[in-house]
Amino acid sequence: MKIIAIGFFVAIILLGGAIIIIGGKDEPKTEIAQAAGNVSIVDGKQVVSITARGGYSPRVTTAKSGLPTIIKMDTIGTYDCSSALVVPSLGYRKNLPPSGETLIDVPPQKPGTVLQGLCSMGMYNFKIRFN
Ligand SMILES: [Cu+2]
């Protein structure tokens, strides 16, 4: 009886451990999937696509450090202030066209850098985290 009880206890611990391991592995997967949506590599350059219209989307992007990067700003009938874009760490400031693509060159970033883009009033923002 005692042995069965111990065996049962061990089985519960193992099962719990397996659930924790599986659960722990799930999170990075979702992050990669999320990042893959608007990050692509084209001719050795990393392209991060951000849509500006009533704010920026996606709000947070995970990208790779150490790669020359282009931020592709997409506007689609954007007449709000998210078209007035500022990227402070690049000294970048531009009024995006109401519709079109605007490319911003970003030199390779160090791991851990978070690059932030803002509307000129600082009301909307987006972040690109370089891992
Ligand atoms: Cu604004």
Side-chain angles (χ1 to χ4, degrees), residues 56 80-82 84 118-124:
Y56 302 105
D80 59 89
C81 68
S82 60
L118 301 154
C119 73
S120 59
M121 298 185 309
M123 175 165 84
Y124 300 123

Side-chain angles (χ1 to χ4, degrees), residues 39-47 64 67:
V39 180
S40 55
I41 309 274
V42 181
D43 297 332
K45 283 193 173 185
Q46 175 168 238
V47 179
K64 278 184 190 152
L67 281 180

Side-chain angles (χ1 to χ4, degrees), residues 58-121:
R59 290 284 309 281
V60 179
T61 299
T62 304
K64 278 184 190 152
S65 59
L67 281 180
T69 299
I70 292 170
I71 304 175
K72 183 167 80 69
M73 297 300 303
D74 292 311
T75 43
I76 315 148
T78 305
Y79 294 99
D80 59 89
C81 68
S82 60
S83 65
L85 178 67
V86 181
V87 184
S89 66
L90 301 176
Y92 184 90
R93 177 176 283 269
K94 192 172 181 182
N95 287 315
L96 306 175
S99 290
E101 280 182 13
T102 305
L103 304 178
I104 305 166
D105 270 310
V106 181
Q109 300 288 300
K110 286 180 192 156
T113 306
V114 178
L115 191 138
Q116 195 180 34
L118 301 154
C119 73
S120 59
M121 298 185 309

